[in-house]
Each structure stands twice: as C-alpha cells, then as structure tokens.
Coordinates of all heavy atoms in Angstrom, one line a residue:
M25 N 115.9 56.8 114.7 CA 116.6 58.1 114.3 C 117.4 58.5 115.6 O 116.8 58.5 116.7 CB 115.6 59.1 113.9 CG 116.2 60.4 113.5 SD 117.1 60.5 111.9 CE 116.0 59.8 110.8
Q26 N 118.6 59.0 115.4 CA 119.4 59.5 116.5 C 119.8 60.9 116.3 O 120.0 61.3 115.1 CB 120.7 58.7 116.7 CG 120.5 57.5 117.6 CD 121.8 56.9 118.0 OE1 122.6 56.6 117.1 NE2 122.1 56.8 119.3
H27 N 119.8 61.7 117.4 CA 120.1 63.1 117.3 C 121.0 63.4 118.5 O 121.0 62.8 119.5 CB 118.9 64.0 117.4 CG 118.0 63.9 116.2 ND1 118.2 64.6 115.1 CD2 116.9 63.2 116.1 CE1 117.2 64.3 114.2 NE2 116.4 63.4 114.8
T28 N 121.9 64.4 118.3 CA 122.7 64.9 119.4 C 122.3 66.4 119.7 O 122.2 67.2 118.7 CB 124.2 64.9 119.1 OG1 124.5 63.5 118.8 CG2 125.0 65.4 120.2
I29 N 121.9 66.7 120.9 CA 121.5 68.0 121.2 C 122.6 68.6 122.2 O 122.9 68.0 123.2 CB 120.1 68.1 121.9 CG1 119.1 67.5 121.0 CG2 119.7 69.5 122.3 CD1 117.7 67.3 121.6
R30 N 123.1 69.8 121.8 CA 124.1 70.4 122.6 C 123.6 71.7 123.3 O 122.6 72.2 122.9 CB 125.3 70.7 121.8 CG 126.0 69.5 121.2 CD 127.3 69.9 120.4 NE 128.0 68.8 119.9 CZ 127.7 68.1 118.8 NH1 126.7 68.4 118.1 NH2 128.4 67.1 118.5
N31 N 124.4 72.1 124.3 CA 124.1 73.4 125.0 C 122.7 73.4 125.6 O 122.0 74.4 125.5 CB 124.3 74.6 124.1 CG 125.7 74.6 123.5 OD1 126.6 74.4 124.2 ND2 125.8 74.9 122.2
I32 N 122.3 72.3 126.2 CA 121.0 72.3 126.9 C 121.1 73.1 128.2 O 122.0 73.0 129.0 CB 120.6 70.8 127.3 CG1 120.5 70.0 126.0 CG2 119.4 70.8 128.2 CD1 120.3 68.5 126.3
P33 N 120.2 74.1 128.3 CA 120.2 74.9 129.5 C 120.1 74.1 130.8 O 119.4 73.1 130.9 CB 119.0 75.8 129.4 CG 118.7 75.8 127.9 CD 119.1 74.4 127.4
T34 N 120.8 74.6 131.8 CA 120.9 73.9 133.1 C 119.5 73.6 133.7 O 119.2 72.5 134.1 CB 121.7 74.7 134.2 OG1 123.0 74.9 133.6 CG2 121.8 74.0 135.5
Q35 N 118.6 74.6 133.6 CA 117.2 74.3 134.1 C 116.4 73.3 133.4 O 115.7 72.5 133.9 CB 116.4 75.6 134.2 CG 116.1 76.3 132.9 CD 115.5 77.6 133.0 OE1 115.9 78.4 133.9 NE2 114.6 78.0 132.1
V36 N 116.7 73.2 132.0 CA 116.0 72.2 131.2 C 116.6 70.8 131.6 O 115.8 69.8 131.8 CB 116.2 72.4 129.7 CG1 115.6 71.3 128.9 CG2 115.5 73.7 129.4
D37 N 117.9 70.7 131.7 CA 118.5 69.4 132.1 C 118.0 69.0 133.5 O 117.6 67.8 133.6 CB 120.1 69.6 132.2 CG 120.8 68.4 132.6 OD1 120.7 67.4 131.9 OD2 121.4 68.4 133.7
R38 N 118.0 69.9 134.4 CA 117.5 69.6 135.8 C 116.1 69.1 135.7 O 115.7 68.1 136.4 CB 117.6 70.8 136.7 CG 117.3 70.5 138.2 CD 117.5 71.7 139.1 NE 118.8 72.4 138.9 CZ 118.9 73.6 138.5 NH1 117.9 74.4 138.3 NH2 120.1 74.2 138.4
A39 N 115.2 69.8 135.0 CA 113.8 69.4 134.9 C 113.6 68.0 134.3 O 112.8 67.2 134.8 CB 113.0 70.4 134.2
L40 N 114.4 67.8 133.2 CA 114.3 66.4 132.6 C 114.8 65.3 133.5 O 114.1 64.3 133.6 CB 115.2 66.4 131.3 CG 114.6 67.2 130.1 CD1 115.7 67.3 129.0 CD2 113.4 66.6 129.6
R41 N 115.8 65.6 134.2 CA 116.4 64.6 135.2 C 115.4 64.3 136.3 O 115.2 63.2 136.7 CB 117.8 65.0 135.6 CG 118.8 64.9 134.6 CD 120.2 65.3 135.0 NE 121.1 65.4 133.9 CZ 121.7 64.3 133.4 NH1 121.5 63.1 133.9 NH2 122.5 64.5 132.3
E42 N 114.8 65.4 136.8 CA 113.9 65.2 137.9 C 112.6 64.4 137.5 O 112.2 63.6 138.2 CB 113.5 66.6 138.5 CG 114.6 67.3 139.3 CD 114.2 68.7 139.7 OE1 113.1 69.2 139.3 OE2 115.1 69.3 140.4
R43 N 112.1 64.8 136.3 CA 110.9 64.1 135.8 C 111.3 62.6 135.5 O 110.5 61.7 135.8 CB 110.4 64.7 134.5 CG 109.2 64.0 134.0 CD 108.5 64.7 132.9 NE 107.9 65.9 133.5 CZ 107.2 66.8 132.8 NH1 107.0 66.6 131.5 NH2 106.6 67.8 133.4
S44 N 112.5 62.4 135.0 CA 112.9 61.0 134.7 C 112.9 60.2 136.0 O 112.4 59.1 136.0 CB 114.3 61.0 134.1 OG 114.9 59.8 134.0
K45 N 113.5 60.7 137.0 CA 113.6 60.0 138.3 C 112.2 59.8 138.9 O 111.8 58.8 139.4 CB 114.5 60.8 139.3 CG 114.7 60.1 140.6 CD 115.7 60.9 141.5 CE 115.9 60.2 142.8 NZ 116.8 60.9 143.6
R46 N 111.4 60.9 138.9 CA 110.0 60.9 139.5 C 109.1 59.8 138.8 O 108.4 59.1 139.5 CB 109.4 62.3 139.4 CG 108.0 62.4 140.1 CD 107.5 63.8 140.1 NE 107.3 64.3 138.8 CZ 107.9 65.3 138.2 NH1 108.8 66.0 138.9 NH2 107.6 65.7 137.0
E47 N 109.2 59.8 137.5 CA 108.3 58.9 136.7 C 109.0 57.5 136.5 O 108.3 56.6 135.9 CB 108.0 59.6 135.4 CG 107.1 60.8 135.6 CD 106.7 61.5 134.3 OE1 107.0 60.9 133.2 OE2 106.1 62.5 134.4
G48 N 110.2 57.3 136.9 CA 110.9 56.0 136.7 C 111.1 55.7 135.2 O 111.0 54.6 134.8
K49 N 111.4 56.7 134.5 CA 111.6 56.6 133.0 C 113.1 57.0 132.7 O 113.7 57.7 133.5 CB 110.7 57.4 132.2 CG 109.2 57.1 132.4 CD 108.3 58.0 131.6 CE 106.9 57.6 131.7 NZ 106.0 58.6 130.9
S50 N 113.5 56.6 131.6 CA 114.9 56.9 131.1 C 114.9 58.4 130.8 O 113.8 59.0 130.4 CB 115.3 56.1 129.9 OG 114.6 56.5 128.8
L51 N 116.0 59.0 130.9 CA 116.2 60.4 130.5 C 115.8 60.6 129.0 O 115.1 61.6 128.6 CB 117.6 60.9 130.7 CG 118.0 62.3 130.4 CD1 117.1 63.3 131.3 CD2 119.4 62.6 130.7
N52 N 116.2 59.7 128.2 CA 115.9 59.7 126.7 C 114.4 59.7 126.5 O 113.8 60.5 125.7 CB 116.5 58.5 126.0 CG 116.4 58.6 124.5 OD1 117.0 59.4 123.9 ND2 115.5 57.7 124.0
E53 N 113.7 58.8 127.2 CA 112.2 58.7 127.1 C 111.5 60.0 127.5 O 110.6 60.5 126.8 CB 111.7 57.5 127.9 CG 110.3 57.2 127.7 CD 109.8 56.0 128.5 OE1 110.6 55.4 129.3 OE2 108.7 55.5 128.3
V54 N 111.9 60.6 128.6 CA 111.4 61.8 129.1 C 111.6 63.0 128.1 O 110.8 63.8 127.8 CB 111.9 62.1 130.5 CG1 111.5 63.5 130.9 CG2 111.4 61.1 131.5
A55 N 112.8 63.0 127.6 CA 113.2 64.1 126.6 C 112.3 64.0 125.4 O 111.8 65.0 124.8 CB 114.7 64.0 126.3
I56 N 112.1 62.8 124.9 CA 111.3 62.6 123.7 C 109.9 63.0 123.9 O 109.2 63.6 123.1 CB 111.4 61.1 123.2 CG1 112.8 60.8 122.6 CG2 110.3 60.8 122.1 CD1 113.1 59.4 122.3
E57 N 109.4 62.6 125.1 CA 108.0 63.0 125.4 C 107.8 64.5 125.5 O 106.9 65.1 125.1 CB 107.6 62.3 126.8 CG 107.4 60.8 126.7 CD 107.2 60.2 128.1 OE1 107.3 60.9 129.1 OE2 106.9 59.0 128.1
A58 N 108.8 65.1 126.1 CA 108.8 66.6 126.2 C 108.9 67.3 124.9 O 108.1 68.2 124.6 CB 110.0 67.1 127.1
L59 N 109.7 66.7 124.0 CA 109.7 67.3 122.6 C 108.4 67.1 121.9 O 107.9 68.0 121.2 CB 110.9 66.6 121.8 CG 112.3 67.0 122.2 CD1 113.3 66.1 121.5 CD2 112.5 68.5 121.7
A60 N 107.8 65.9 122.0 CA 106.5 65.6 121.4 C 105.5 66.6 121.9 O 104.6 67.1 121.1 CB 106.2 64.2 121.6
R61 N 105.4 66.7 123.2 CA 104.4 67.7 123.8 C 104.6 69.1 123.3 O 103.7 69.8 123.0 CB 104.6 67.6 125.4 CG 103.5 66.8 126.1 CD 103.5 67.1 127.6 NE 104.8 67.3 128.2 CZ 105.6 66.3 128.6 NH1 105.3 65.1 128.5 NH2 106.8 66.6 129.2
G62 N 105.9 69.5 123.3 CA 106.2 70.9 122.9 C 105.8 71.1 121.4 O 105.6 72.3 121.0
L63 N 105.9 70.1 120.6 CA 105.5 70.2 119.2 C 104.1 69.8 118.9 O 103.7 69.7 117.7 CB 106.5 69.4 118.4 CG 108.0 69.8 118.5 CD1 108.9 68.8 117.8 CD2 108.2 71.1 117.8
D64 N 103.3 69.6 119.9 CA 101.9 69.2 119.8 C 101.8 67.9 118.9 O 100.9 67.8 118.1 CB 101.0 70.3 119.2 CG 100.9 71.4 120.2 OD1 100.9 71.2 121.4 OD2 100.7 72.6 119.7
L65 N 102.6 66.9 119.2 CA 102.6 65.7 118.4 C 102.1 64.5 119.2 O 102.3 63.4 118.8 CB 104.0 65.4 117.9 CG 104.6 66.4 117.0 CD1 106.1 66.0 116.6 CD2 103.8 66.6 115.7
E66 N 101.5 64.7 120.3 CA 101.0 63.6 121.1 C 99.7 63.0 120.7 O 99.2 62.1 121.3 CB 100.9 64.1 122.6 CG 102.3 64.4 123.2 CD 102.1 64.7 124.7 OE1 101.4 65.6 125.0 OE2 102.7 63.9 125.5
G67 N 99.1 63.5 119.7 CA 97.8 63.0 119.3 C 96.7 64.0 119.7 O 95.7 64.2 119.0
E68 N 96.8 64.5 120.9 CA 95.8 65.4 121.4 C 96.4 66.7 121.6 O 97.6 66.8 122.1 CB 95.2 64.9 122.7 CG 94.3 63.7 122.6 CD 93.7 63.3 123.9 OE1 93.5 64.1 124.8 OE2 93.4 62.1 124.1
P69 N 95.7 67.8 121.4 CA 96.3 69.1 121.6 C 96.6 69.3 123.1 O 95.9 68.8 123.9 CB 95.3 70.1 121.1 CG 94.0 69.3 121.0 CD 94.4 67.9 120.8
V70 N 97.6 70.1 123.4 CA 97.9 70.4 124.8 C 96.8 71.3 125.3 O 96.5 72.4 124.7 CB 99.3 71.1 124.9 CG1 99.6 71.5 126.3 CG2 100.4 70.2 124.3
R71 N 96.2 71.0 126.4 CA 95.2 71.8 127.0 C 95.8 72.6 128.1 O 96.2 72.1 129.1 CB 94.1 70.9 127.5 CG 92.9 71.6 128.1 CD 91.8 70.7 128.5 NE 90.8 71.5 129.2 CZ 90.0 71.1 130.1 NH1 90.2 69.9 130.6 NH2 89.1 71.9 130.7
R72 N 95.8 73.9 127.8 CA 96.3 74.8 128.8 C 95.1 75.7 129.3 O 94.3 76.1 128.6 CB 97.3 75.7 128.2 CG 98.6 75.0 127.7 CD 99.6 75.9 127.1 NE 100.8 75.2 126.9 CZ 101.2 74.7 125.7 NH1 100.3 74.7 124.7 NH2 102.3 74.1 125.6
R73 N 95.1 75.9 130.6 CA 94.1 76.7 131.2 C 94.6 77.4 132.4 O 95.6 77.0 133.0 CB 92.8 75.9 131.5 CG 93.1 74.7 132.5 CD 91.8 74.1 132.9 NE 91.6 74.6 134.2 CZ 90.5 74.2 134.9 NH1 89.6 73.4 134.4 NH2 90.3 74.6 136.1
D74 N 93.9 78.4 132.8 CA 94.3 79.1 134.0 C 93.0 79.1 134.9 O 92.1 78.4 134.6 CB 94.8 80.5 133.7 CG 93.7 81.4 133.0 OD1 92.5 81.1 133.1 OD2 94.1 82.3 132.3
L75 N 93.1 79.8 136.0 CA 92.0 79.8 136.9 C 91.0 80.9 136.8 O 90.1 81.1 137.7 CB 92.6 79.8 138.3 CG 93.5 78.6 138.6 CD1 94.1 78.7 140.0 CD2 92.7 77.3 138.5
T76 N 91.0 81.7 135.7 CA 90.2 82.8 135.5 C 88.7 82.4 135.5 O 87.8 83.2 135.9 CB 90.5 83.6 134.3 OG1 90.4 82.8 133.1 CG2 91.8 84.3 134.3
T77 N 88.4 81.2 135.1 CA 87.0 80.8 135.0 C 86.4 80.6 136.4 O 85.2 80.6 136.6 CB 86.8 79.6 134.2 OG1 87.6 78.5 134.7 CG2 87.1 79.8 132.7
I78 N 87.3 80.3 137.4 CA 86.8 80.0 138.7 C 87.1 81.1 139.8 O 86.6 81.1 140.9 CB 87.2 78.6 139.3 CG1 88.7 78.6 139.4 CG2 86.6 77.5 138.4 CD1 89.2 77.3 140.1
A79 N 88.0 82.0 139.4 CA 88.4 83.0 140.3 C 87.2 83.9 140.6 O 86.5 84.3 139.8 CB 89.5 83.9 139.7
G80 N 87.1 84.2 141.9 CA 86.0 85.0 142.3 C 84.6 84.3 142.4 O 83.6 84.9 142.5
S81 N 84.6 83.0 142.2 CA 83.3 82.3 142.2 C 82.9 81.6 143.5 O 82.0 80.9 143.6 CB 83.4 81.2 141.1 OG 84.4 80.2 141.4
W82 N 83.7 81.9 144.6 CA 83.4 81.4 145.9 C 82.0 81.8 146.3 O 81.6 83.0 146.3 CB 84.4 81.8 146.9 CG 84.1 81.3 148.3 CD1 83.5 82.0 149.3 CD2 84.4 80.0 148.8 NE1 83.4 81.2 150.4 CE2 84.0 80.0 150.1 CE3 85.0 78.9 148.2 CZ2 84.2 78.8 150.9 CZ3 85.2 77.8 149.0 CH2 84.8 77.7 150.4
V83 N 81.2 80.9 146.7 CA 79.8 81.1 147.2 C 79.8 81.0 148.7 O 80.2 79.9 149.2 CB 78.8 80.2 146.6 CG1 77.4 80.4 147.1 CG2 78.8 80.3 145.1
P84 N 79.5 82.0 149.4 CA 79.5 82.0 150.9 C 78.6 80.8 151.4 O 77.5 80.6 150.9 CB 79.0 83.3 151.4 CG 79.2 84.2 150.2 CD 79.1 83.4 149.0
D85 N 79.1 80.1 152.4 CA 78.4 79.0 152.9 C 78.6 79.0 154.4 O 79.8 78.8 154.8 CB 78.8 77.7 152.3 CG 78.0 76.5 152.8 OD1 77.8 76.3 154.0 OD2 77.6 75.7 151.9
R86 N 77.6 79.2 155.3 CA 77.9 79.2 156.7 C 78.5 78.0 157.3 O 79.3 78.0 158.2 CB 76.5 79.6 157.4 CG 76.3 81.0 157.5 CD 75.2 81.3 158.5 NE 73.9 80.9 157.9 CZ 72.7 81.1 158.3 NH1 72.6 81.7 159.5 NH2 71.6 80.7 157.7
D87 N 78.0 76.8 156.8 CA 78.6 75.6 157.3 C 80.1 75.4 157.0 O 80.9 75.0 157.8 CB 77.8 74.4 156.8 CG 76.4 74.3 157.3 OD1 76.1 74.8 158.4 OD2 75.5 73.7 156.6
V88 N 80.4 75.8 155.8 CA 81.9 75.7 155.4 C 82.7 76.7 156.2 O 83.7 76.4 156.7 CB 82.0 76.0 153.9 CG1 83.5 76.1 153.5 CG2 81.4 74.8 153.1
D89 N 82.1 77.9 156.3 CA 82.8 79.0 157.1 C 83.0 78.5 158.6 O 84.1 78.7 159.1 CB 82.1 80.3 157.1 CG 82.1 81.0 155.7 OD1 83.0 80.6 154.9 OD2 81.2 81.8 155.4
R90 N 82.0 77.9 159.1 CA 82.1 77.4 160.5 C 83.2 76.3 160.6 O 84.0 76.4 161.5 CB 80.8 76.9 161.0 CG 80.7 76.6 162.5 CD 79.3 76.1 162.9 NE 78.3 77.0 162.5 CZ 77.2 76.7 161.7 NH1 77.1 75.5 161.2 NH2 76.3 77.6 161.4
A91 N 83.2 75.4 159.7 CA 84.2 74.3 159.7 C 85.6 74.9 159.5 O 86.5 74.5 160.2 CB 83.9 73.3 158.6
L92 N 85.8 75.9 158.7 CA 87.1 76.5 158.5 C 87.5 77.2 159.8 O 88.7 77.2 160.2 CB 87.1 77.4 157.3 CG 87.0 76.8 155.9 CD1 86.8 77.8 154.8 CD2 88.2 75.9 155.6
D93 N 86.6 77.9 160.4 CA 86.9 78.6 161.6 C 87.4 77.7 162.7 O 88.3 77.9 163.5 CB 85.7 79.5 162.1 CG 85.5 80.7 161.3 OD1 86.4 81.1 160.6 OD2 84.4 81.2 161.3
E94 N 86.7 76.5 162.8 CA 87.1 75.5 163.8 C 88.5 75.0 163.5 O 89.3 74.7 164.4 CB 86.1 74.3 163.8 CG 84.8 74.7 164.3 CD 83.7 73.6 164.1 OE1 84.1 72.4 163.7 OE2 82.5 73.8 164.4
Q95 N 88.9 74.8 162.2 CA 90.2 74.4 161.9 C 91.3 75.4 162.2 O 92.4 75.1 162.4 CB 90.3 74.0 160.4 CG 89.5 72.8 160.1 CD 89.5 72.5 158.6 OE1 90.3 73.0 157.8 NE2 88.5 71.7 158.1
R96 N 90.9 76.7 162.2 CA 91.9 77.7 162.5 C 92.1 77.9 164.0 O 93.0 78.7 164.4 CB 91.4 79.0 161.9 CG 91.4 79.0 160.4 CD 91.0 80.3 159.8 NE 90.9 80.2 158.3 CZ 89.8 80.3 157.6 NH1 88.7 80.6 158.2 NH2 89.8 80.2 156.3
T97 N 91.3 77.3 164.8 CA 91.4 77.5 166.3 C 92.7 76.7 166.8 O 92.9 75.6 166.5 CB 90.2 76.9 167.0 OG1 89.0 77.5 166.5 CG2 90.3 77.1 168.5
V98 N 93.5 77.4 167.5 CA 94.8 76.9 168.0 C 94.5 76.2 169.4 O 93.9 76.8 170.3 CB 95.8 78.0 168.2 CG1 97.1 77.4 168.8 CG2 96.1 78.6 166.9
N99 N 94.9 75.0 169.5 CA 94.8 74.3 170.8 C 96.1 74.6 171.6 O 97.1 74.1 171.3 CB 94.7 72.8 170.5 CG 94.5 72.0 171.8 OD1 94.9 72.4 172.9 ND2 93.9 70.8 171.7
P100 N 95.9 75.4 172.7 CA 97.1 75.8 173.5 C 97.9 74.6 174.0 O 99.1 74.7 174.2 CB 96.5 76.6 174.6 CG 95.1 76.8 174.3 CD 94.7 75.9 173.2
D101 N 97.2 73.5 174.3 CA 97.9 72.3 174.8 C 98.9 71.7 173.8 O 99.9 71.1 174.2 CB 96.9 71.2 175.3 CG 96.1 71.7 176.5 OD1 96.6 72.5 177.2 OD2 95.0 71.2 176.6
L102 N 98.6 71.9 172.5 CA 99.5 71.4 171.5 C 100.7 72.3 171.2 O 101.7 71.8 170.6 CB 98.7 71.2 170.2 CG 97.6 70.1 170.2 CD1 96.8 70.2 168.9 CD2 98.1 68.8 170.5
W103 N 100.7 73.5 171.8 CA 101.8 74.4 171.5 C 102.7 74.6 172.7 O 103.4 75.6 172.8 CB 101.2 75.8 171.1 CG 100.7 75.7 169.7 CD1 99.4 75.4 169.3 CD2 101.4 75.8 168.5 NE1 99.3 75.4 168.0 CE2 100.5 75.6 167.4 CE3 102.7 76.1 168.2 CZ2 100.9 75.7 166.1 CZ3 103.1 76.2 166.9 CH2 102.3 76.0 165.9
K104 N 102.6 73.7 173.7 CA 103.5 73.8 174.8 C 104.8 73.2 174.5 O 105.0 72.4 173.8 CB 102.8 73.0 176.0 CG 101.6 73.7 176.6 CD 101.1 73.0 177.8 CE 99.9 73.7 178.3 NZ 99.4 73.2 179.5

C-alpha cells in the first residue's frame, strides 16, 4: 500500500531523518515504525513510565557518599 503525506512539520521531519541516520534505516522504514508505534500496532503496548516510583528513594550510604566526595575533589595540578 502506498500513501502520500503532506505538510509534515519540520520537527517531525528532522526527528525522522535523525533516527533514520542513527539506526541506519531508510526514512520510509523509520516513518512506518513511528506510525505503528503511535497507533499501538507493534504487538506490544507502548510502555510509558516516569520516575515517580524512584524519586526520593535514595538511601544514604556512607561509602557511596565518600566515593562521590572523592570524585568532586579538584586536583589543582590538572587545572594549570
């Protein structure tokens, strides 16, 4: 089946072209995949999630804090 789609927004065109290049796929293939994903036709439902389940869940750990502090130390010899 063939379709012609007109008036594609610039940001959509750019995103499709970038994904096409990044994934080494044709623009047509990437566009079809995006349409299928957007219509939930990929076989599996699109799983969307945010970080609310882990936000605020940091458990203080002295060893981790010490290691992070060491990484934050500036070596003056490297900044000359």
Side-chain angles (χ1 to χ4, degrees):
M25 180 71 56
Q26 270 192 306
H27 296 276
T28 301
I29 301 174
R30 293 182 177 84
N31 301 320
I32 296 172
T34 303
Q35 65 188 35
V36 173
D37 177 64
R38 187 179 308 121
L40 287 171
R41 290 179 188 279
E42 287 173 359
R43 180 170 289 180
S44 170
K45 185 175 181 179
R46 184 177 62 245
E47 294 181 5
K49 297 179 179 179
S50 71
L51 183 60
N52 186 70
E53 188 175 6
V54 170
I56 291 170
E57 289 172 356
L59 286 168
R61 259 192 322 276
L63 296 169
D64 292 330
L65 299 177
E66 291 186 301
E68 291 184 25
V70 177
R71 183 176 174 211
R72 294 181 173 92
R73 57 173 257 179
D74 58 26
L75 300 176
T76 56
T77 57
I78 62 170
S81 64
W82 180 261
V83 177
D85 183 313
R86 272 192 289 188
D87 292 334
V88 171
D89 291 337
R90 189 177 309 118
L92 291 172
D93 287 340
E94 288 173 10
Q95 292 176 17
R96 292 183 185 115
T97 303
V98 175
N99 182 336
D101 294 334
L102 296 175
W103 287 94
K104 287 185 179 182

